[in-house]
């Protein structure tokens, strides 16, 4: 028995298994501690890039340029512009008043007009603003033969093939002549088109009166034509108090259907990264991030070399690769942004009479922030790799892995019905309801319906018969039937997994117990706590020591464990107080009974082998 208890099947020593387990626990704790330091460093780095002043700066500028109403019209601001007349009123009113702040509130002159304007007295206007227009050529669309006699002009939607490159109007200044772009700014993605660089451009003056006369001259000479498809208003600000650049783009699109659609972009970014002592602390975190990236990359390369193709069978290894890829992309974007800032910032600020294109720098800086945001998201998700040693998290991962095939089959059925309803909604309500105006909007509108956010009145008004039928059947089949089927799959699988764990299936080790055991071992080494072995030894009766001399230590421990189980079970199930009452067995009690039965079986097998040995010896003595 003693010999058998020292070895498992396959001849593996219990001591070796215990040593491997200790090594695994130590390695996991080291990885957790290292990753925890990396995560703290990454959080400091990411939160150091943003601050509440960015939101406040955007809010102030949005209130000034987007929410300010046109004089003598308290219903129209930039957001609500719907005609060319309203657009010119905005240009000559709120835009000019917002850009030019050359005097204090008591009309006292603040500074020489040669200097730049200071919006709200705190934000310096860098260079001068720029207005840019893109047009399309006449006769770029096809007209049905029956209507050709009624239409002498036809302007299609904006594309690079339809763009008008010829001079028009007065043909005197740059705003009447097409100019190619000399910047690296990306194309703009608007509501009804994707717009390139270049176009008919003019820059504003530093004088408010000169700029207003320019606007009046353009309006009287019809600078905006039927071929106009978009107008951009670009300018940049810098607030030295909070070390932030605010790059503003106001966009007015003129779709082929007529009217005006307005949009805007306000980017508050920190282009000058190292100014204060806190900025240099963030720089040290960036260096630490690169060191961690090198260490993690080396570790993953070693794992790939060791496990080869088996490395890619683990979902956590795929998450590691994704996280490393995002980290390298973040470093690449950071390096590119800082190189461009170093090369272009001095040139952009050299001349105060020209438009400085900070939109290019802000655009890539925002992309860098987005990559960092996605990186920190997956970095937090990776914590589940370590928490999975916990019983609850192990049950969750086992549930998801076990029901994955059922979920995939359910998802196919779900999305067939879901996309069928999305197409139905787009075709029936798309021309009248904004939520169904495109197929993509129709898909997201149905997800909102599932969450309880819907516009039933708009659907009913669009079609009084098909509207209610669509809504009721969608709620019934998707919300009541399919979603409940999904929950039933998860719930049923979770019950099976929980039942398996209740009869002994557990993780190899749990993180909480690991930390507790490490803490207890540390106290014992510091002599702040007695050793558990010494405590167990002192508890035993000294009178029983002579009786234990001829027994193995493992046999003694197993006998004590059996005795404790027997006393507890007898007290629980065979006492006179609870004999006549029905007591339901819990999962924990069932597990204890199961383990108790297993141990009894082992003991009976051991006793049977001993008895057989005794009988063989007796038989030998008889002969």
């Amino acid at each position: 028995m003693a010999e058998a208890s020292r070895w498992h099947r396959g001849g593996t020593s219990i001591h070796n298994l215990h040593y491997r387990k200790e090594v695994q626990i130590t390695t996991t704790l080291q990885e957790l501690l290292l990753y925890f330091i990396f995560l703290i460093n990454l959080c400091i780095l990411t939160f150091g890039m943003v601050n509440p002043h960015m939101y406040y700066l955007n809010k102030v500028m949005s209130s000034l340029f987007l929410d300010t109403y046109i004089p003598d019209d308290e219903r129209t601001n930039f957001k609500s512009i719907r005609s060319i007349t309203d657009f010119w009123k905005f240009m000559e009113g709120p835009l000019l008043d917002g850009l030019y702040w050359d005097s204090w509130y008591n009309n006292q002159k603040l500074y020489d007009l040669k200097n730049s304007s200071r919006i709200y007295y705190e934000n310096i206007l860098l260079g001068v603003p720029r207005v840019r227009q893109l047009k399309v050529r006449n006769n770029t669309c096809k007209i049905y033969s029956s209507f050709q006699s009624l239409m002498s002009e036809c302007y299609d939607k904006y594309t690079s093939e339809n763009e008008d490159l010829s001079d028009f109007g007065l043909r005197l200044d740059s705003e009447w002549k097409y100019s190619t772009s000399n910047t690296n700014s990306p194309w703009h993605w608007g509501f009804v088109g994707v717009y390139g660089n270049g176009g008919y451009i003019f820059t504003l003056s530093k004088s408010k009166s000169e700029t207003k006369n320019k606007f009046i001259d353009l309006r009287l000479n019809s600078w905006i034509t039927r071929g106009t498809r978009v107008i951009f208003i670009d300018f940049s600000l810098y607030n030295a108090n909070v070390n932030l650049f605010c790059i503003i783009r106001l966009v007015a699109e003129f779709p082929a259907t007529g009217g005006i659609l307005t949009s805007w972009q306000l980017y508050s970014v920190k282009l000058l990264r190292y100014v204060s002592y806190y900025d240099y602390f963030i720089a040290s975190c960036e260096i630490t991030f690169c060191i961690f990236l090198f260490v993690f990359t080396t570790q993953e390369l070693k794992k790939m070399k060791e496990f080869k193709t088996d490395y890619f069978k683990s979902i956590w290894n795929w998450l590691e690769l994704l996280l490393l890829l995002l980290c390298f992309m973040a470093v690449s974007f950071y390096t590119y942004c800082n190189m461009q800032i170093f090369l272009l910032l001095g040139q952009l600020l050299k001349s105060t009479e020209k438009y400085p294109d900070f939109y290019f720098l802000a655009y890539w800086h925002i992309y860098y922030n987005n990559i960092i945001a996605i990186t920190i998201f997956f970095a937090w998700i990776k914590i589940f790799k370590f928490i999975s040693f916990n019983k609850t998290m192990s049950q969750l991962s086992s549930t998801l892995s076990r029901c994955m095939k059922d979920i995939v089959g359910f998802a196919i059925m779900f999305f067939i019905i879901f996309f069928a309803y999305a197409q139905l909604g787009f075709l029936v309500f798309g021309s009248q309801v904004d939520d169904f105006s495109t197929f993509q909007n129709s898909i997201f509108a149905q997800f909102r319906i599932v969450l309880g956010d819907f516009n039933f009145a708009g659907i009913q008004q669009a079609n009084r018969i098909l509207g209610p039928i669509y809504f009721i059947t969608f709620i019934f089949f998707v919300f009541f039937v399919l979603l409940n089927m999904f929950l039933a799959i998860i719930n049923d699988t979770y019950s099976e997994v929980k039942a398996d764990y209740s009869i002994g299936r557990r993780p190899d080790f749990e993180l909480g117990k690991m930390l507790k055991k490490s803490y207890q071992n540390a106290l014992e080494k510091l002599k702040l706590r007695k050793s558990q072995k010494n405590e167990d030894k002192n508890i035993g009766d000294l009178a029983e020591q002579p009786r234990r001399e001829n027994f193995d230590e493992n046999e003694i421990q197993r006998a004590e464990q059996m005795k404790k189980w027997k006393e507890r079970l007898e007290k629980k199930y065979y006492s006179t107080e609870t004999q006549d009452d029905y007591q339901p067995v819990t999962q924990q009690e069932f597990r204890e009974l199961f383990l108790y039965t297993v141990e009894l079986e082992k003991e009976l097998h051991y006793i049977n082998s001993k008895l057989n040995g005794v009988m063989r010896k007796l038989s030998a003595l008889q002969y």
Side-chain angles (χ1 to χ4, degrees):
M1 175 68 181
E3 188 67 24
S5 64
R6 295 191 186 101
W7 298 87
H8 284 284
R9 293 178 182 176
T12 303
S13 173
I14 293 178
H15 176 73
N16 292 337
L17 290 176
H18 181 72
Y19 175 74
R20 292 180 184 179
K21 184 177 180 180
E22 291 292 336
V23 171
Q24 187 180 10
I25 292 174
T26 304
T27 304
T28 303
L29 288 176
Q30 291 175 352
E31 290 181 358
L32 177 60
L33 179 61
L34 183 65
Y35 188 74
F36 186 68
I37 297 173
F38 165 76
L39 189 60
I40 292 176
N41 179 81
L42 185 58
C43 289
I44 295 174
L45 191 153
T46 52
F47 285 108
M49 299 188 308
V50 296
N51 59 70
H53 295 298
M54 293 181 175
Y55 168 77
Y56 296 135
L57 183 57
N58 283 342
K59 185 175 179 62
V60 167
M61 294 304 153
S62 174
S63 175
L64 179 62
F65 293 102
L66 304 179
D67 299 330
T68 303
Y69 291 101
I70 295 173
D72 302 327
D73 188 354
E74 297 299 327
R75 297 178 301 175
T76 305
N77 54 23
F78 182 78
K79 295 180 179 179
S80 59
I81 289 176
R82 292 297 178 266
S83 66
I84 298 177
T85 302
D86 292 339
F87 179 80
W88 283 117
K89 289 182 179 180
F90 167 79
M91 297 284 284
E92 298 172 17
L95 180 64
L96 285 181
D97 295 337
L99 288 175
Y100 295 95
W101 295 58
D102 52 5
S103 61
W104 193 241
Y105 62 89
N106 57 0
N107 293 326
Q108 180 181 356
K109 191 174 182 180
L110 290 178
Y111 41 78
D112 191 359
L113 289 178
K114 292 182 180 180
N115 295 325
S116 297
S117 171
R118 285 170 173 78
I119 300 174
Y120 280 118
Y121 313 112
E122 302 293 344
N123 306 279
I124 183 171
L125 181 64
L126 301 176
V128 292
R130 182 188 70 178
V131 180
R132 179 167 65 96
Q133 175 187 188
L134 292 175
K135 300 175 57 180
V136 295
R137 302 187 310 274
N138 187 16
N139 297 323
T140 51
C141 53
K142 296 182 179 180
I143 304 176
Y144 188 67
S145 58
S146 301
F147 291 90
Q148 288 180 355
S149 60
L150 303 176
M151 302 292 296
S152 58
E153 296 178 333
C154 178
Y155 298 90
D156 200 358
K157 63 181 181 180
Y158 175 85
T159 61
S160 58
E161 294 79 10
N162 296 337
E163 186 175 1
D164 190 358
L165 307 179
S166 59
D167 301 340
F168 75 106
L170 300 180
R171 304 187 181 186
L172 298 175
D173 299 320
S174 61
E175 59 267 22
W176 305 99
K177 299 178 180 179
Y178 186 86
S179 301
T180 58
S181 174
N182 55 0
T183 64
N184 296 323
S185 294
W187 285 31
H188 181 87
W189 190 356
F191 285 128
V192 294
V194 180
Y195 306 99
N197 298 313
Y200 303 90
I201 304 171
F202 72 93
T203 55
L204 278 59
S205 172
K206 286 186 172 294
S207 171
K208 181 178 181 180
S209 59
E210 292 181 6
T211 302
K212 187 171 184 178
N213 292 333
K214 186 71 173 180
F215 284 161
I216 294 174
D217 181 65
L218 293 175
R219 173 168 56 84
L220 294 177
N221 289 281
S222 300
W223 186 67
I224 300 176
T225 66
R226 286 186 57 193
T228 301
R229 285 294 171 261
V230 66
I231 294 178
F232 299 97
I233 305 171
D234 296 300
F235 54 96
S236 304
L237 314 171
Y238 175 68
N239 190 309
N241 301 333
V242 293
N243 188 27
L244 289 178
F245 289 81
C246 186
I247 292 84
I248 301 175
R249 167 169 286 185
L250 307 180
V251 184
E253 295 182 74
F254 299 76
T257 57
I260 300 178
L261 300 175
T262 57
S263 59
W264 51 89
Q265 292 179 342
L266 292 90
Y267 296 145
S268 290
V269 294
K270 187 177 182 179
L271 298 180
L272 303 176
R273 300 189 61 85
Y274 309 113
V275 177
S276 63
Y277 291 110
Y278 180 72
D279 295 335
Y280 288 106
F281 170 70
I282 298 297
S284 65
C285 293
E286 293 170 350
I287 296 174
T288 307
F289 173 80
C290 294
I291 296 174
F292 273 112
L293 181 59
F294 175 77
V295 172
F296 290 152
T297 304
T298 305
Q299 291 179 350
E300 294 307 310
L301 290 176
K302 289 181 179 179
K303 290 181 182 179
M304 294 175 66
K305 184 178 180 181
E306 179 181 358
F307 297 102
K308 297 181 180 179
T309 57
D310 292 336
Y311 174 86
F312 299 98
K313 295 180 180 180
S314 173
I315 186 65
W316 297 114
N317 292 336
W318 283 103
L319 181 61
E320 291 277 4
L321 294 178
L322 176 61
L323 188 58
L324 289 176
L325 176 62
L326 291 172
C327 289
F328 278 111
M329 290 179 62
V331 172
S332 302
F333 271 88
Y334 175 82
T335 305
Y336 178 77
C337 290
N338 280 273
M339 289 180 58
Q340 294 298 325
I341 292 171
F342 177 78
L343 295 174
L344 300 178
L345 189 59
Q347 300 179 7
L348 295 175
L349 298 176
K350 183 180 298 184
S351 176
T352 60
E353 302 294 331
K354 295 181 179 180
Y355 164 73
D357 189 9
F358 281 93
Y359 183 83
F360 168 74
L361 299 178
Y363 180 84
W364 288 107
H365 197 277
I366 292 297
Y367 263 82
Y368 166 68
N369 289 354
N370 294 340
I371 291 294
I372 283 291
I374 298 174
T375 302
I376 191 67
F377 171 79
F378 283 105
W380 279 105
I381 295 298
K382 185 184 171 183
I383 293 182
F384 285 106
K385 175 183 179 181
F386 304 100
I387 302 179
S388 62
F389 295 117
N390 177 268
K391 176 184 176 182
T392 303
M393 295 306 303
S394 181
Q395 288 179 352
L396 176 61
S397 60
S398 299
T399 301
L400 294 178
S401 61
R402 184 176 296 188
C403 67
M404 186 58 63
K405 292 182 179 179
D406 294 333
I407 290 179
V408 171
F410 167 81
I412 294 174
M413 177 180 62
F414 175 83
F415 282 109
I416 288 175
I417 298 177
F418 192 84
F419 285 124
Y421 270 102
Q423 189 171 7
L424 174 64
F426 169 62
L427 296 175
V428 176
F429 316 117
S431 61
Q432 302 182 51
V433 182
D434 180 63
D435 291 340
F436 295 87
S437 57
T438 63
F439 185 68
Q440 295 84 351
N441 289 348
S442 181
I443 293 174
F444 287 108
Q446 291 188 159
F447 279 114
R448 289 167 52 193
I449 291 176
V450 172
L451 297 175
D453 180 15
F454 53 86
N455 181 17
F456 177 74
I459 296 175
Q460 186 180 30
Q461 186 176 2
N463 195 310
R464 294 187 178 275
I465 298 176
L466 291 180
I469 293 175
Y470 162 85
F471 182 80
I472 293 173
T473 56
F474 178 81
I475 291 295
F476 177 77
F477 285 109
V478 175
F479 189 79
F480 288 110
V481 178
L482 294 180
L483 289 184
N484 282 283
M485 285 181 60
F486 175 76
L487 296 176
I489 293 172
I490 298 293
N491 187 50
D492 185 59
T493 309
Y494 180 73
S495 299
E496 294 178 1
V497 171
K498 195 171 183 180
D500 290 344
Y501 274 72
S502 65
I503 59 175
R505 287 192 55 186
R506 285 178 174 268
D508 294 336
F509 55 89
E510 297 187 22
L511 188 60
K513 292 182 178 180
M514 290 164 46
L515 297 176
K516 183 179 179 180
K517 185 176 180 180
S518 301
Y519 170 73
Q520 292 176 351
N521 292 337
L523 292 180
E524 291 176 3
K525 290 180 180 179
L526 295 174
K527 297 182 179 180
L528 298 177
R529 182 178 182 273
K530 292 184 179 180
S531 175
Q532 185 68 28
K533 294 182 179 179
N534 295 333
E535 291 180 0
D536 295 340
K537 186 176 181 180
N538 294 332
I539 291 174
D541 189 5
L542 297 177
E544 296 182 358
Q545 292 297 328
R547 299 167 56 186
R548 298 186 179 188
E549 292 179 357
N550 298 325
F551 293 92
D552 184 82
E553 185 66 27
N554 291 331
E555 293 178 339
I556 296 173
Q557 291 180 0
R558 289 164 64 84
E560 291 177 350
Q561 183 69 23
M562 289 288 295
K563 183 179 179 180
K564 292 179 182 179
W565 276 354
K566 181 180 178 181
E567 292 175 352
R568 185 169 67 252
L569 292 172
E570 286 179 350
K571 182 179 179 181
K572 195 166 191 179
Y573 297 105
Y574 302 105
S575 62
T576 56
E577 297 177 356
T578 60
Q579 188 173 2
D580 297 332
D581 298 331
Y582 171 74
Q583 297 291 335
V585 180
T586 64
Q587 291 182 349
Q588 181 64 25
E589 293 171 347
F590 179 76
R591 178 179 176 276
E592 293 178 356
L593 289 171
F594 177 80
L595 295 176
Y596 181 65
T597 305
V598 172
E599 294 298 327
L600 283 177
E601 182 184 2
K602 292 180 181 178
E603 293 298 326
L604 289 174
H605 180 73
Y606 172 70
I607 293 171
N608 185 41
S609 62
K610 290 290 185 181
L611 289 174
N612 290 333
V614 173
M615 293 300 295
R616 285 194 298 270
K617 290 181 180 180
L618 290 175
S619 300
L621 290 176
Q622 290 178 0
Y623 293 101

